[in-house]
Amino acid sequence: MDAQGNPNAVFIFKFGGAFTTGALASIELINSAQTCNIFWVAEGAISMAAGTIMKGTLIANNGAISMGAGGTLEGKMLSTLGAASTYANTISTECTFALPIELYSFTGTCANQKATLKWSTATETDNHFFNIERSMDGKNWQLIGTIAGSGNSSSFRNYS
């Protein structure tokens, strides 16, 4: 991945189903690309074959995450439903995020065609607001609301 000299470049890969790598697949970062700014989001399971070298945050929505033997992950694994399994792997993260919040939880539900979002923060630093956006295609986003943040807080705050 080529950040073209911009250390703040963000890469988001979204898959409408499962995401699988082949054996010995490798992600290379060049020109200031940062592991912390890469996100792999699958609407299903994520499966990495033996010897895979992945970089970034792996998010399996409605699926498990597995990493074959001898693989390396520079980043994080997150699953909304299912296990995260590894065998004889190296996993590391050296990410420091400049986000003004530490997100504790986030859930979204839909009933009668009405979406409800709920989230909690563990800490907030100079956090003025949260923007709520929606998209019909996952590419074009529309601002639908703004929720005031707590400014500075070191205790749990709940939002919806």
Side-chain angles (χ1 to χ4, degrees):
M1 282 175 238
D2 185 351
Q4 299 179 354
N6 180 359
N8 296 314
V10 174
F11 300 88
I12 302 173
F13 299 91
K14 288 183 159 184
F15 305 94
F19 170 56
T20 304
T21 69
L24 304 174
S26 178
I27 302 299
E28 299 294 327
L29 306 181
I30 60 172
N31 295 323
S32 302
Q34 302 291 316
T35 299
C36 300
N37 295 341
I38 301 168
F39 300 89
W40 306 86
V41 183
E43 289 298 323
I46 297 176
S47 177
M48 293 165 284
T52 296
I53 300 173
M54 282 297 292
K55 296 180 182 181
T57 299
L58 304 166
I59 303 169
N61 190 26
N62 298 315
I65 300 177
S66 64
M67 181 170 240
T72 300
L73 171 63
E74 291 178 24
K76 298 177 182 181
M77 289 183 182
L78 305 168
S79 172
T80 62
L81 178 70
S85 62
T86 65
Y87 177 76
N89 304 113
T90 301
I91 299 175
S92 64
T93 182
E94 296 180 13
C95 297
T96 56
F97 294 100
L99 294 176
I101 68 161
E102 180 182 351
L103 187 65
Y104 178 72
S105 68
F106 183 90
T107 60
T109 58
C110 184
N112 299 322
Q113 295 186 328
K114 181 180 178 184
T116 301
L117 305 176
K118 294 183 179 182
W119 66 96
S120 299
T121 60
T123 63
E124 297 182 37
T125 305
D126 294 329
N127 181 41
H128 301 287
F129 57 88
F130 296 92
N131 279 338
I132 310 301
E133 298 180 343
R134 71 172 166 202
S135 172
M136 300 304 271
D137 60 9
K139 296 177 185 174
N140 300 299
W141 294 87
Q142 174 186 19
L143 179 67
I144 60 171
T146 300
I147 306 292
S150 293
N152 293 301
S153 173
S154 58
S155 60
F156 286 96
R157 302 288 186 192
N158 296 313
Y159 298 91
S160 64

